[in-house]
Amino acid sequence: MSRAGQHVVFVGNPTPPCDLDAAFDVVTAGDRAAVVDCLETTRVDCVIVDGTGSDRVETVAEVRDVAPAVPIIYTTATPDGSAAAAATRAGATEYVVRTGEPSLIDRIEALSNGEGDSTIRPATVDAATESPASADVGTDLTARTETVDGQAPPVGPAERDAILGRLHAIVSGDDPFEERLEDRSRRRELERGRTARGRTLDRLDDAVIVVDSDRRFVHVNDAFADLVGADREGLVGRSAASIIDEDAYRDWMAVVGSPTPGETVETELQRVDGGVVHVEANVTPLSAAGSDDIAFVCVVRDVTERRRRADVVTGLLETTRSLFACESRADVSEVVVEAAERVLGFDLATVRLHDADSDDLVLTAVSEASGDQIRRRTRVGLGEGPMGEAFRRGEPVLIEDLRTNSPHEYDQLQAGMCVPLGDHGLLNVGSPVVDAFDDQHVQLAQLLTASAAAALERAERGEELLRHERILETVEGMVYAIDGDARLTLVTDPLAERLGYDRDELVGEPVSRIFADESDDRAVDHIEDLLSDADCDSGTFEATYTTADGERFPVEIECSLLPHDGDDDEFHGTVSVVRDITQRKEREQYLQVLNRVLRHNLRNDLTVVIGYAELLRERLDDPDLVAAADTLRETAADLAGTSEKTRAIQYALDRDGDLEPIDVTATVTETVEGLDPDGATVSVSAADDPSAWADPGLGLVVENLVENAIRHGGPEPTVEVAVAHEDCRVRLAVADDGPGIPPAEIDVVTGESDITQLTHSSGLGLWLVRWMVDSYGGSVSFRESALGGSRVEIALEPAPSASRHGD
C-alpha cells in the first residue's frame, strides 16, 4: 500500500505536523471520544498519539481496547523514557521521537504495510533524560522497530536485564497487559505481544532458555538451539535433562538458591551430537513454590574458546617448567615442538636453530606429522624466503598460501607461520588449509616462544659451562670451582688426588673442607676484596690445604670470580687454579737459612781478615809482603761489599710490591752527593723534575750504576747522569768514558745468555739494578755512550708529583 489513501488519526494539537499531513490522509482528533468515533466509523491504518497532553497514555489504552489490531504510535518531540514505558504498558505498538531516525512517516508506512511485528526497535532515550534500563521493561519488549541492513541491532546488557525481568512477569502471570485482555480479540493481541517478545529474545546475542518447574523447556531462542546443535521447535516442551545433565542442573540450582542472585556459574551442556560445550550460565529464578518447584530463565554464553585459552595458558605454564629443566638446546627444541602439538593444537611444527658459523637455520626438532620434504631440508639460509625474513626481522611472518609464496614443495601443507625464538631460531607451524593462521594464533605461539627463547639462552650458557667443565676436567693441573654457596662444583683429578680424595667425594661439599682453619678465613677475605673492587675480578693469595690424612701443605691460589648476570651484584662463585708450593717454600727456607748464616759468618770472618791484613801491612818491612797485605785487605773489603749487595738484593726481592710516586731528580742528586767520587767527575742533569712509580730503593739502583761506572772507568773517569721525561716514560741514564761493560755480561743480565761457568756476571750490581727495575714495572737497556764507554738507561712509569700525591 502506498502512502496515498492511508488513513491516519492524529491525537494531539489541532494541527498535525505539516509533513505528516502531506504524506497521508490525516484526521485530527482532539480527545479520546473523537478517536473512538473515528475508529468506529472509518477505516484507520494507524493512530498517532502526541504525548504532549497529560491524559495521552489513557488515550492509548482506550484505543487499544476499541481496536486491538490497529497500530498505535506514541510520539514526543524529545526523548522521554518514562513516557515511552507508560505508553508501552498501555498498549502502544511503538514509541517514536519525532526528531529522530527513522522518521515518523517511515514508521507509519512500515506499520501500515504489516512490518510492525518483525521490525521491533527500542525507544531512543537521550542519556541526559532517562536510560532504557531505568524505564519500564515493557518498553524494551515491544518498542523495537529499527533494522540495520535487514538485521536487528544487538541487545545490550542493560536491555537484556530488562527483557529478562519482563519475561519473569509473563511467566509468573503478573503481566498487567494480560490482565486487561479478557475477550478473544484481546487474547489474540496477547499472543501477538508474546510473539513479539519472543522475537526480541531471539535477537539476543547470548543463548536464552526458560525452564519451568517440571524441568521442561518453555522457551528456547535460536542462539541456544545452535549452541547445542538442536532444532529449536523440537526443544520447546521437551525435558531439559538431555541437554542440562544432573551435575549442571545442580550447579544452576545452587546459584538460584544463593543469597546473591545474578551470579554466574561455569558448567557443561550436552550437545545433541554427543559433544560437550562449556558455558557460563546466568540463572534467574522466575517462581518458587517450593524447593522442588522452581522455574527459571537462563542466559547462556559459550565460553569454550575462553576455556580453551585458559587451558592453553595452563599448558604453557607447565611447558615453561619443562623448558627450564632442559640441559641442552636440542632438548628445548623438542619440548617446544611437543607443546606446539599438544597445547596449541598445531599438528605440524618444527624448530630451526641458528648456526652462527654457517649463518643457517638448522632443523633441530620435528613433529611426527612432518613430511619427508621438510625433514630433508635440514638447512635454510637467512636470505631464503619467509623463514629467513622472520628471523632477520625478529617478527612473526604468516604465509597464507605456501604454493604461491615458497619455491619448495611441502607435501600437503598450504599455510605456514614462522615465529622467532628470540635470536636463537624459529618455531615454524604448518596447516593443510589455506590462510589457516591469524593474529590469535600468533599471540598464542608467542607465549610459547617467549619462554622458549629464555630457556634456550639458559641452555646455551649451560652447554658452554659444560664444555668448560669438560675441558677443565681434562686439565692436568689442580683446578676447582665453587658456586654462590661456596660449595665445590668442579674438582680436577690432580687436585683430588693431591688431597687424598676421589673427585666425587668432594663435589657438593663446602670448600672449607679442604682449607686449614686459618686459610679458610683468608680465602673468604680474598673473595670479599675482589667483590668490593669493581675493577678487579681475579687475584692470587697463599693458603694451606689439609689432606684426607690430616697432612698440611702450602698452596698458591689464583682465584677468579664467575661473571655476574647484568646488574646482578650477587656472588655466583669462583674458578681457582692451585699450585702446590711446598718445594718453593722449602727452597726459600733453605736459602733464607743459608743467606743469613753465610752473610753473618762471612761478614764476621772478613772483618777478621781485613783486621789482620792491616796489621801485617803496618808491621812488615818487605815491600812485596806489604803489597800482598794491601791486596788481601782490598779483596776482603770487596767481598764484604758483595755481602752487603746481597742484603740489598734480598730487600728488593722481599718487598711487598707497593709503589709510590718518587721524585727521580731529587733521588739521583741526593745519591750522587753521598758517594765518594775517588777522583771521578760525576755530573747530574735534569730537564725537569719528573716523578715515577718506584720506592726509596731507587737510590740503590742509582748508587750501583754510578759506582760501577767509577770503578771500571779508569784513573780519572767521567760519569754523566741525566734525567728526562720523554715518550711517556721517565728516563734515567748513566754514561761513562770507560772501556764499557763486556757484551757477555750484558747478555747474561738481560737474559739473552744463560749463566754458566764461562759466562757469568763478575758483580751483583747489575743484577740488583735489573731486579729492582723489574719490580717497578720498568725496563733496562744497554748501549755505547757518547763518551765512548757504556750507557745504561732505565725507563720507568711516570707518576703524579710526590707533592701532589702527598696532598
Side-chain angles (χ1 to χ4, degrees):
M1 179 185 296
S2 64
R3 292 182 182 179
Q6 291 183 354
H7 300 283
V8 175
V9 176
F10 178 80
V11 183
N13 295 327
T15 305
C18 60
D19 55 347
L20 191 66
D21 197 29
F24 304 102
D25 294 335
V26 180
V27 175
T28 302
D31 53 26
R32 279 177 283 172
V35 176
V36 172
D37 289 343
C38 191
L39 288 171
E40 291 178 349
T41 60
T42 308
R43 179 180 60 82
V44 177
D45 297 306
C46 183
V47 175
I48 300 173
V49 179
D50 181 7
T52 305
S54 60
D55 60 348
R56 300 302 190 213
V57 173
E58 288 79 0
T59 300
V60 171
E62 188 163 348
V63 169
R64 179 56 64 212
D65 287 340
V66 174
V70 174
I72 304 173
I73 297 178
Y74 192 81
T75 179
T76 59
T78 59
D80 187 338
S82 297
T88 303
R89 287 196 299 272
T93 308
E94 287 194 11
Y95 168 71
V96 176
V97 179
R98 288 199 296 273
T99 57
E101 290 292 338
S103 69
L104 185 57
I105 294 175
D106 291 338
R107 296 314 308 147
I108 295 171
E109 183 175 6
L111 289 171
S112 299
N113 290 333
E115 301 172 12
D117 289 347
S118 60
T119 54
I120 303 172
R121 68 182 181 89
T124 305
V125 180
D126 192 285
T129 57
E130 182 179 6
S131 68
S134 65
D136 189 276
V137 294
T139 304
D140 294 305
L141 283 169
T142 58
R144 297 180 58 86
T145 54
E146 180 181 1
T147 62
V148 179
D149 295 332
Q151 298 295 324
V155 178
E159 188 178 1
R160 181 188 64 187
D161 294 341
I163 292 172
L164 296 178
R166 183 68 171 134
L167 188 60
H168 180 285
I170 295 172
V171 176
S172 303
D174 298 330
D175 186 6
F177 180 39
E178 185 173 5
E179 292 177 357
R180 296 197 306 271
L181 304 180
E182 297 177 354
D183 57 15
R184 182 177 301 176
S185 62
R186 292 174 183 173
R187 288 192 176 89
R188 284 199 301 268
E189 184 62 21
L190 173 60
E191 185 63 29
R192 177 177 176 275
R194 283 181 171 171
T195 302
R197 295 179 183 110
R199 280 194 289 266
T200 302
L201 286 178
D202 292 341
R203 294 180 52 234
L204 286 170
D205 288 340
D206 296 327
V208 180
I209 58 173
V210 179
V211 178
D212 63 15
S213 58
D214 293 328
R215 201 173 164 185
R216 293 182 177 277
F217 290 115
V218 175
H219 178 82
V220 175
N221 69 352
D222 288 333
F224 184 84
D226 292 341
L227 184 64
V228 298
D231 176 67
R232 172 183 170 181
E233 299 300 331
L235 287 179
V236 175
R238 175 181 169 184
S239 172
S242 60
I243 303 298
I244 310 169
D245 63 18
E246 290 298 329
D247 292 337
Y249 190 78
R250 184 171 53 252
D251 292 340
W252 290 16
M253 290 302 97
V255 173
V256 169
S258 70
T260 54
E263 291 184 356
T264 60
V265 59
E266 284 196 17
T267 57
E268 294 179 352
L269 293 180
Q270 307 298 317
R271 286 179 53 86
V272 173
D273 59 10
V276 174
V277 58
H278 296 280
V279 298
E280 179 184 75
N282 186 320
V283 188
T284 303
L286 296 178
S287 63
S291 59
D292 297 329
D293 186 20
I294 299 175
F296 61 86
V297 61
C298 182
V299 178
V300 179
R301 179 175 292 115
D302 185 357
V303 295
T304 303
E305 182 61 25
R306 188 176 75 188
R307 282 287 301 272
R308 191 183 76 83
R309 289 181 64 87
D311 291 342
V312 167
V313 172
T314 301
L316 290 178
L317 289 176
E318 296 174 353
T319 299
T320 299
R321 287 191 286 269
S322 301
L323 286 171
F324 281 89
C326 295
E327 296 183 356
S328 68
R329 297 203 309 162
D331 291 342
V332 172
S333 302
E334 292 291 346
V335 171
V336 170
V337 167
E338 189 271 337
E341 291 180 289
R342 177 180 55 83
V343 180
L344 301 183
F346 300 141
D347 292 334
L348 189 148
T350 66
V351 167
R352 292 181 180 271
L353 296 183
H354 179 234
D355 182 357
D357 294 334
S358 63
D359 221 17
D360 289 337
L361 295 169
V362 181
L363 189 64
T364 310
V366 188
S367 62
E368 292 184 2
S370 298
D372 294 338
Q373 294 286 350
I374 292 177
R375 296 176 185 275
R376 285 196 294 268
R377 196 179 176 205
T378 58
R379 289 180 174 269
V380 174
L382 294 188
E384 297 183 45
M387 281 189 279
E389 178 187 358
F391 185 77
R392 293 194 311 272
R393 291 168 46 192
E395 299 176 355
V397 171
L398 298 181
I399 311 167
E400 296 180 359
D401 191 342
L402 282 168
R403 294 170 298 180
T404 59
N405 288 276
S406 175
H408 300 279
E409 292 291 338
Y410 286 103
D411 296 333
Q412 301 300 318
L413 292 183
Q414 297 191 34
M417 178 172 63
C418 307
V419 184
L421 294 162
D423 56 0
H424 303 281
L426 289 176
L427 165 64
N428 298 308
V429 178
S431 171
V433 180
V434 174
D435 197 14
F437 304 109
D438 55 23
D439 291 341
Q440 184 178 12
H441 294 107
V442 172
Q443 292 171 7
L444 291 175
Q446 286 181 319
L447 290 176
L448 173 61
T449 57
S451 298
L456 285 168
E457 183 74 28
R458 179 181 179 277
E460 282 185 355
R461 291 199 301 268
E463 288 177 345
E464 184 176 358
L465 289 175
L466 183 60
R467 285 195 299 271
H468 291 167
E469 181 176 333
R470 288 172 178 170
I471 291 173
L472 289 174
E473 288 175 351
T474 62
V475 170
E476 293 299 327
M478 296 188 294
V479 179
Y480 72 89
I482 63 173
D483 59 17
D485 296 325
R487 291 186 175 274
L488 292 163
T489 58
L490 169 71
V491 179
T492 59
D493 285 331
L495 177 58
E497 183 179 351
R498 180 66 180 89
L499 291 168
Y501 295 99
D502 288 334
R503 189 171 65 183
D504 293 340
E505 293 182 74
L506 292 176
V507 173
E509 291 294 313
V511 70
S512 57
R513 177 174 176 178
I514 63 176
F515 278 103
D517 293 340
E518 70 280 1
S519 292
D520 185 40
D521 294 337
R522 190 180 308 155
V524 172
D525 292 341
H526 178 74
I527 292 175
E528 289 178 348
D529 290 341
L530 292 178
L531 291 171
S532 63
D533 188 348
D535 298 327
C536 183
D537 58 6
S538 64
T540 302
F541 68 101
E542 292 186 2
T544 301
Y545 277 169
T546 303
T547 68
D549 297 332
E551 175 195 352
R552 294 162 61 97
F553 65 96
V555 292
E556 181 182 75
I557 303 172
E558 184 178 350
C559 176
S560 299
L561 296 175
L562 289 175
H564 297 181
D565 293 334
D567 297 330
D568 180 13
D569 293 331
E570 293 184 4
F571 173 61
H572 292 279
T574 63
V575 174
S576 300
V577 178
V578 180
R579 285 181 286 276
D580 184 348
I581 56 174
T582 301
Q583 293 183 353
R584 190 180 81 184
K585 286 294 185 181
E586 290 175 350
R587 285 196 301 270
E588 288 177 356
Q589 186 178 21
Y590 298 155
L591 291 174
Q592 188 175 24
V593 171
L594 289 174
N595 184 43
R596 288 180 179 178
V597 172
L598 178 61
R599 284 210 334 262
H600 182 268
N601 293 345
L602 184 62
R603 184 169 57 251
N604 291 342
D605 293 345
L606 287 176
T607 300
V608 173
V609 172
I610 291 172
Y612 278 113
E614 291 179 346
L615 180 62
L616 289 173
R617 185 176 180 280
E618 293 174 357
R619 295 185 179 183
L620 293 173
D621 295 329
D622 187 334
D624 292 336
L625 294 176
V626 170
D630 285 340
T631 301
L632 179 63
R633 184 182 68 82
E634 291 176 1
T635 301
D638 287 343
L639 189 55
T642 299
S643 176
E644 290 302 315
K645 286 184 179 179
T646 60
R647 185 170 68 177
I649 290 174
Q650 183 178 4
Y651 160 78
L653 296 177
D654 291 343
R655 286 171 51 256
D656 57 9
D658 291 336
L659 304 180
E660 58 184 285
I662 297 295
D663 188 330
V664 178
T665 301
T667 300
V668 169
T669 301
E670 183 179 347
T671 302
V672 170
E673 289 176 352
L675 294 176
D676 180 7
D678 194 20
T681 300
V682 182
S683 62
V684 177
S685 62
D688 47 21
D689 297 323
S691 291
W693 288 106
D695 65 7
L698 182 62
L700 287 174
V701 174
V702 177
E703 178 182 334
N704 276 273
L705 288 177
V706 175
E707 282 186 346
N708 188 72
I710 291 174
R711 179 173 303 171
H712 300 288
E716 295 182 354
T718 298
V719 179
E720 295 179 349
V721 184
V723 178
H725 190 172
E726 299 175 352
D727 301 328
C728 298
R729 304 286 281 178
V730 176
R731 302 187 183 277
L732 189 162
V734 178
D736 62 54
D737 60 352
I741 303 173
E745 289 195 13
I746 294 176
D747 290 343
V748 172
V749 172
T750 58
E752 295 182 12
S753 296
D754 296 332
I755 299 175
T756 65
Q757 290 181 340
L758 298 178
T759 60
H760 60 276
S761 178
S762 59
L764 293 176
L766 292 180
W767 287 106
L768 173 65
V769 169
R770 174 191 160 182
W771 287 334
M772 293 199 69
V773 171
D774 284 348
S775 71
Y776 298 155
S779 61
V780 182
S781 60
F782 300 87
R783 68 188 62 173
E784 184 179 349
S785 73
L787 300 176
S790 295
R791 174 184 171 89
V792 182
E793 183 177 291
I794 296 169
L796 301 173
E797 189 73 26
S801 65
S803 60
R804 290 198 303 272
H805 184 75
D807 293 341

